């Protein structure tokens, strides 16, 4: 889920890019009608998307209707499947597949990794790219080089979200292993009053709310918000309003409402 500076919201959807302007819904398809897995709004008005075997961006034509432009057509070797994550840092866009990250900058598309490796997560912190590989090690990208910021045994599980609490503290949620805090070069468990519940129900996504409370989307038990004392403040699932207990994506708007994708 992504939102532009004009308030329009876009959703990566099985049928394409879904747009909502507050009144109307529109569907834009990408090449061959493939599934869209990821979406991110760019600073220049472009909307970057990643799908199955393709990635690129939408930009408005003269009438304001979005047109798709494939970037993966620039690759000699298109040996990848899904594009799961997209990050925009300054004037650079990063697209993560299962084994590679592609960098789009100054109209040039470049594979970031010299050798393919299994990648589980991509995010950002303090304007630096974050990557987690199959050993569960967390890396940052600095000056074109990957530098480890945590050993795999410190986290011990796949990261599902990275939330910047402050310039000095990063919060990472994992699918099966709870929540961790990274601060001053040290990573440690970020314990809550409901750790066992969160581990059992799998944190699949997370976002920071404007009031600094935290929203967690789970695989098995809907949406949860944690207050500043790390206690469950809200719990919304199929029993009290959600259409499905599996929340695959979260986005917080400036008005403190939460948009969920399932």
């Amino acid at each position: 889920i992504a939102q532009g500076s004009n308030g329009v919201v876009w959703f990566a959807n099985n049928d394409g890019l879904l747009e909502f302007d507050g009144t109307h819904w529109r569907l834009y398809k990408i090449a061959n009608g493939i599934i869209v897995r990821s979406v991110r709004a760019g600073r220049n008005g472009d909307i970057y998307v990643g799908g199955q075997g393709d990635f690129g961006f939408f930009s408005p034509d003269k009438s304001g209707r979005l047109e798709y432009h494939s970037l993966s057509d620039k690759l000699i070797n298109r040996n990848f499947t899904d594009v799961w994550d997209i990050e925009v840092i300054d004037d650079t866009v990063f697209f993560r597949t299962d084994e590679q990250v592609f960098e789009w900058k100054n109209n040039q598309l470049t594979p970031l990794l010299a050798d393919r490796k299994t990648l589980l997560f991509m995010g950002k912190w303090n304007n630096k790219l974050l990557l987690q590989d199959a050993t569960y090690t967390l890396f940052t990208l600095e000056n074109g080089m990957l530098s480890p910021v945590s050993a795999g045994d410190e986290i011990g599980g796949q990261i599902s979200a990275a939330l910047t609490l402050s310039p000095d503290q990063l919060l990472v949620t994992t699918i099966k292993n709870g929540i961790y805090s990274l601060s001053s070069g040290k990573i440690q468990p970020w314990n809550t009053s409901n750790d066992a519940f969160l581990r059992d129900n799998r944190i699949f996504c997370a976002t920071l709310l404007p009031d600094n409370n935290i929203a967690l989307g789970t695989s098995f038990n809907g949406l949860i918000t944690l207050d500043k004392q790390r206690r469950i403040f809200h719990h919304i699932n199929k029993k009290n309003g959600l259409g499905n207990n599996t929340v695959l994506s979260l986005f917080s708007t400036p008005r403190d409402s939460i948009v969920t994708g399932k």
Side-chain angles (χ1 to χ4, degrees):
I1 307 170
Q3 186 175 36
S5 58
N6 57 359
V8 175
V9 183
W10 296 282
F11 301 82
N13 184 270
N14 278 0
D15 293 320
L17 178 69
L18 194 59
E19 178 187 82
F20 182 59
D21 63 7
T23 304
H24 301 101
W25 291 89
R26 297 178 183 87
L27 178 66
Y28 296 97
K29 294 184 178 293
I30 65 174
N32 302 319
I34 63 176
I35 292 174
V36 178
R37 297 293 195 191
S38 50
V39 58
R40 186 73 66 181
R43 293 185 174 185
N44 58 357
D46 293 335
I47 305 101
Y48 296 95
V49 296
Q52 291 182 315
D54 194 20
F55 60 88
F57 63 94
F58 283 91
S59 59
D61 61 15
K62 294 180 180 180
S63 65
R65 185 172 178 83
L66 296 181
E67 288 185 336
Y68 180 65
H69 308 272
S70 176
L71 292 177
S72 51
D73 286 346
K74 299 177 180 295
L75 296 173
I76 297 175
N77 182 2
R78 293 183 57 166
N79 184 24
F80 65 91
T81 52
D82 297 277
V83 177
W84 296 107
D85 297 314
I86 303 171
E87 289 294 346
V88 178
I89 299 179
D90 296 330
D91 59 349
T92 307
V93 186
F94 299 93
F95 301 85
R96 179 188 74 85
T97 70
D98 288 318
E99 297 180 325
Q100 182 61 273
V101 175
F102 297 98
E103 179 187 83
W104 173 245
K105 182 178 181 179
N106 297 328
N107 292 322
Q108 295 290 325
L109 186 66
T110 308
L112 189 64
L113 306 179
D115 299 308
R116 290 176 177 266
K117 63 190 304 182
T118 300
L119 301 172
L120 303 179
F121 171 80
M122 185 176 75
K124 67 178 179 181
W125 181 35
N126 290 342
N127 230 31
K128 295 178 183 178
L129 194 71
L130 291 171
L131 284 171
Q132 187 190 37
D133 68 7
T135 68
Y136 302 138
T137 302
L138 185 63
F139 299 87
T140 58
L141 177 69
E142 299 182 66
N143 300 319
M145 301 292 292
L146 291 177
S147 303
V149 295
S150 77
D153 55 0
E154 291 178 300
I155 297 176
Q158 182 176 350
I159 294 174
S160 53
L163 309 177
T164 299
L165 294 187
S166 73
D168 300 319
Q169 186 178 17
L170 178 74
L171 211 63
V172 293
T173 64
T174 66
I175 293 178
K176 299 180 182 180
N177 290 60
I179 307 174
Y180 292 82
S181 170
L182 176 62
S183 180
S184 301
K186 297 181 180 180
I187 192 158
Q188 57 189 359
W190 194 79
N191 298 121
T192 75
S193 58
N194 300 93
D195 286 340
F197 175 85
L198 295 177
R199 285 193 297 268
D200 290 345
N201 288 286
R202 310 289 175 85
I203 303 172
F204 201 87
C205 53
T207 190
L208 191 65
L209 303 178
D211 60 3
N212 284 328
N213 286 349
I214 296 168
L216 306 172
T218 71
S219 296
F220 301 141
N221 215 324
L223 171 70
I224 294 164
T225 63
L226 299 178
D227 63 18
K228 296 177 182 63
Q229 286 71 45
R230 309 184 191 182
R231 302 170 301 190
I232 291 180
F233 184 62
H234 286 114
H235 181 196
I236 306 171
N237 57 21
K238 195 171 181 179
K239 293 180 180 178
N240 55 12
L242 281 186
N244 192 301
N245 277 336
T246 300
V247 179
L248 300 179
S249 183
L250 286 175
F251 181 81
S252 171
T253 71
R255 294 183 179 180
D256 201 17
S257 58
I258 304 171
V259 182
T260 65
K262 60 183 187 325

